[in-house]
């Protein structure tokens, strides 16, 4: 029986709350780049995905999660 194909991916980084906006923006840009590269690697066109950011505060840190949805997950998200 074939394994079901994934239709979403998530990437998480921990960022100090007091980090400069410059470094926060650089981290965000890097995460977007790496997500796109990972999607290409698994055969997904990054332009056909829907993306979402989530930020959670934990003590002195921010936990950032960048998510990509395509195929069935994208349809459910947008539906």
């Amino acid at each position: 029986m074939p394994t079901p194909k994934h239709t979403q991916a998530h990437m998480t980084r921990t960022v100090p709350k007091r980090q400069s906006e410059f470094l926060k923006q650089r981290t965000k840009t890097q995460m977007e780049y790496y997500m796109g590269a990972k999607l290409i690697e698994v055969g997904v066109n990054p332009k056909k995905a829907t993306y979402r950011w989530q930020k959670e505060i934990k003590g002195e840190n921010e936990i950032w999660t960048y998510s990509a949805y395509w195929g069935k997950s994208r349809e459910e998200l947008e539906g």
Side-chain angles (χ1 to χ4, degrees), residues 29-40:
T29 301
Q30 287 173 342
M31 289 177 73
E32 290 170 342
Y33 174 83
Y34 290 129
M35 180 65 82
K38 191 65 179 170
L39 293 180
I40 290 169

Side-chain angles (χ1 to χ4, degrees), residues 6-55:
H6 293 284
T7 58
Q8 53 184 274
H10 310 277
M11 179 182 302
T12 302
R13 296 282 183 275
T14 301
V15 180
K17 278 199 294 191
R18 297 180 185 185
Q19 190 173 63
S20 73
E21 287 305 313
F22 171 80
L23 291 176
K24 285 182 179 183
Q25 183 58 47
R26 187 173 72 178
T27 298
K28 184 178 179 183
T29 301
Q30 287 173 342
M31 289 177 73
E32 290 170 342
Y33 174 83
Y34 290 129
M35 180 65 82
K38 191 65 179 170
L39 293 180
I40 290 169
E41 188 178 292
V42 297
V44 175
N45 181 344
K47 293 182 179 175
K48 301 220 180 219
T50 296
Y51 301 92
R52 296 287 186 269
W53 281 98
Q54 181 179 0
K55 181 171 76 170

